[in-house]
């Protein structure tokens, strides 16, 4: 971490290179058994980066449909799980399956685990526990060989996020995500940690735990991010759950869970921040949202609450949609821009004009 800070000082925070940013993200490791104070300290490099590097505006491109217009009207910022994205690899865990099996064998042979099972299975002989562990390993290893998709897809289906671009003038982005310039885009200001208002529950009931949001810039690479250590923990956790169910030890789940604390609570963010270099032109940032509210998790279209700072209309937007969106913008007292192009310029850029 000290080496990283020296590099940042040499290059200057405002001109942080992609390499230094990658090193910063990968160097943040936050085990679950750290104190709150130590966890905050581990996140400090990212916190300081966001204080200086978060763009003044980040843009989200939308199609014109009932949902997107309603969300704009209600200041709803929709968040989506990875499996609904247009990139098949989004939030998909990549891991070494053989290494996970080796770690599982080591875990089941661990004396602490064996002793815990003996204590809560009526002082069963250690040899019987060992036989049970061996049988259990064979079943789980076979399952891992035959179908490891349930681990690969865990993050894809459980964590919601929203994507933004640094550039409003990208013809690619207007073509991909705004219905070939027939849609619109919204700008947001996330500086100073101003992410969302935590009132997304449809019931508006008081939530016992506030929503947690993290904003960061995407890392582009030609090699997938290796999440074996995290996948190992997920698999071991699954093993413990199955053992608890097998022996009817539900009341002891918290005890067993503490045997394998999460090795890195920042790992989910790391996984979600990695994409192939082919997407680099999108200049993407992600707002990652987690919430323990059952209402939030069960929504078909979960959302956070965030007010946009401006709206940008595609240059091919239909007159009726333009009229509706302009009316909402007036109610919100935010500026309206309309995208144009310049036939006498050589660059492939669109330009927003205030209107």
């Amino acid at each position: 971490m000290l080496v990283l800070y020296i590099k940042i000082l040499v290059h200057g925070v405002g001109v942080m290179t992609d390499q230094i940013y990658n090193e910063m993200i990968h160097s943040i490791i936050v085990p679950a058994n750290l104190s709150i104070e130590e966890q905050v300290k581990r996140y400090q490099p990212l916190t300081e980066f966001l204080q200086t590097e978060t763009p003044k505006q980040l843009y989200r491109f939308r199609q014109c449909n009932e949902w997107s217009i309603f969300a704009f009207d209600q200041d709803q910022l929709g968040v989506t799980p990875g499996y609904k994205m247009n990139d098949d690899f989004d939030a998909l865990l990549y891991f070494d399956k053989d290494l996970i099996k080796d770690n599982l064998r080591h875990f089941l042979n661990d004396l602490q685990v064996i002793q815990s099972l003996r204590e809560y299975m009526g002082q069963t002989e250690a040899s019987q526990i060992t036989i049970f562990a061996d049988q259990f390993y064979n079943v789980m290893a076979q399952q891992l060989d035959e179908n490891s998709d349930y681990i690969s897809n865990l993050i894809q289906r459980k964590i919601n996020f929203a994507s933004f671009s640094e550039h409003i003038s990208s013809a690619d982005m207007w073509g991909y995500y705004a219905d070939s310039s027939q849609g619109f885009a919204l700008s947001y200001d996330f500086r100073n940690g101003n992410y969302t208002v935590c009132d997304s529950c449809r019931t508006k009931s008081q939530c016992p735990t506030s929503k947690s949001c993290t904003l960061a810039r995407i890392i582009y690479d030609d090699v997938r991010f290796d999440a074996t250590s995290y996948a190992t923990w997920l698999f071991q956790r699954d093993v413990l759950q199955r053992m608890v169910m097998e022996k009817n030890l539900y009341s002891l789940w918290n005890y067993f869970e503490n045997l394998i604390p999460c090795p890195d609570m920042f790992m989910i963010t790391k996984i979600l921040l990695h994409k192939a270099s082919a997407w680099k032109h999108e200049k993407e940032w992600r707002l990652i949202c987690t919430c323990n509210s059952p209402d939030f998790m069960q929504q078909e279209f979960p959302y956070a609450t965030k007010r946009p700072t401006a709206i940008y209309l595609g240059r091919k937007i239909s007159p009726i949609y333009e009229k509706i969106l302009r009316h909402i913008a007036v109610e919100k007292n935010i500026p309206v821009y309309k995208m144009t192009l310049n036939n006498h310029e050589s660059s492939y850029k669109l330009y927003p004009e205030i209107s």
Side-chain angles (χ1 to χ4, degrees), residues 145-161:
D145 283 331
E146 294 176 351
N147 181 20
S148 59
D149 288 348
Y150 78 101
I151 292 181
S152 299
N153 296 330
L154 279 176
I155 305 303
Q156 263 201 338
R157 294 190 169 274
K158 290 188 176 181
I159 306 300
N160 295 289
F161 56 91

Side-chain angles (χ1 to χ4, degrees), residues 2 21 29 81 96 123 176 215 227 229 233 256 288 309 319 343:
L2 178 59
Y21 175 73
I29 300 174
D96 185 330
Q123 296 298 323
Y176 294 157
L215 178 74
S229 62
W233 174 73
F256 284 125
I288 303 163
T309 58
N343 285 325

